[in-house]
Each structure stands twice: as structure tokens, then as C-alpha cells.
Amino acid sequence: MARITYSKDCPSRTVLGVLANKWSLYVLGLLRQQERPLRFTELRRHIEGVTQKSLTQALRNLERDGLISRTVYPTIPPRVEYALTDLGREAGTLTSAIADWSKANASRVHAARSDYDNRPADQA
């Protein structure tokens, strides 16, 4: 059995860093759910709370890692659409599993948080 390491040089760390970003997860999930390319404004409208800067950075990282494609149409003003690549669709199976687990267990996580937050100070 191969030894699991958490070395800073491990190639998986950079990829996991992108997938662990909540905005990236939301972008991948939304593109998978819509099953069509989306424009920046559509993504921002659907992902409540994301700033323009955070969404831009998430999109750049996802494009850089080959999980989404960016298509620019030569119109005035230019129209830009984002879509999942094959690699992004594969990653979507992982992100969907996280989303499904989150939905199924949200009440348990909230209850655990409440229990933790309501503990007497001497037990913290």
C-alpha cells in the first residue's frame, strides 16, 4: 500500500486547493445543473454572496486547471460564456457527492454546532 503523504510538493494539493474553494464548487455545480454555458452575469446572479473579484478568480483558476472553458464571442460588447469541459464534468461527480452529503447532513452539522456553542465555558 502506498504511503499517503501531505507534502507541499504533492501535485494533488494544487488541484484540491481549487476544488476546496467554495466559489469554485458553486460554479461547477451550477454549470453542471444548467447543462449549458453561462455568462458571468448569470453565474453571479445565481451564486448569492459572491463578489465580482471572487467569481473572476474562481473562473480563472477553473479555466487554468482545465475544468471549464471560456468562449469569447466577437460582439460589441464582447460576449463571454463559461462551460464545463470533460474534466470538469468528471469533477462534477465529486462535487455533486459533496453537495448531496451536505444536504443530507446539514441538520446534524447544525445541531453539533449548537451543542458545541452552548457548552459551559469550563467544558470548552
Side-chain angles (χ1 to χ4, degrees):
M1 177 182 257
R3 187 170 163 254
I4 298 173
T5 64
Y6 298 99
S7 165
K8 66 178 178 148
D9 300 326
C10 180
S12 67
R13 280 181 89 161
T14 58
V15 176
L16 288 173
V18 171
L19 291 178
N21 176 286
K22 70 178 175 180
W23 302 123
S24 294
L25 285 176
Y26 292 148
V27 168
L28 291 172
L30 184 57
L31 288 172
R32 186 167 186 206
Q33 181 184 53
Q34 295 295 316
E35 298 181 351
R36 66 177 178 84
L38 295 175
R39 296 178 70 178
F40 184 92
T41 52
E42 291 177 289
L43 289 163
R44 188 153 182 222
R45 187 174 341 119
H46 287 291
I47 304 172
E48 191 173 313
V50 69
T51 64
Q52 181 171 337
K53 180 180 177 180
S54 295
L55 181 55
T56 298
Q57 188 62 51
L59 290 168
R60 285 181 182 158
N61 288 336
L62 290 167
E63 183 182 9
R64 182 174 182 240
D65 286 349
L67 299 174
I68 64 169
S69 63
R70 179 179 183 265
T71 304
V72 181
Y73 296 94
T75 60
I76 298 176
R79 187 178 62 152
V80 179
E81 292 181 341
Y82 298 91
L84 289 176
T85 62
D86 289 339
L87 190 60
R89 276 186 280 286
E90 278 184 50
T93 60
L94 301 171
T95 60
S96 291
I98 292 169
D100 292 344
W101 182 91
S102 298
K103 290 174 195 170
N105 292 287
S107 61
R108 293 172 61 196
V109 171
H110 289 288
R113 285 180 186 171
S114 180
D115 291 347
Y116 180 89
D117 293 343
N118 292 319
R119 286 191 319 203
D122 62 344
Q123 292 181 4

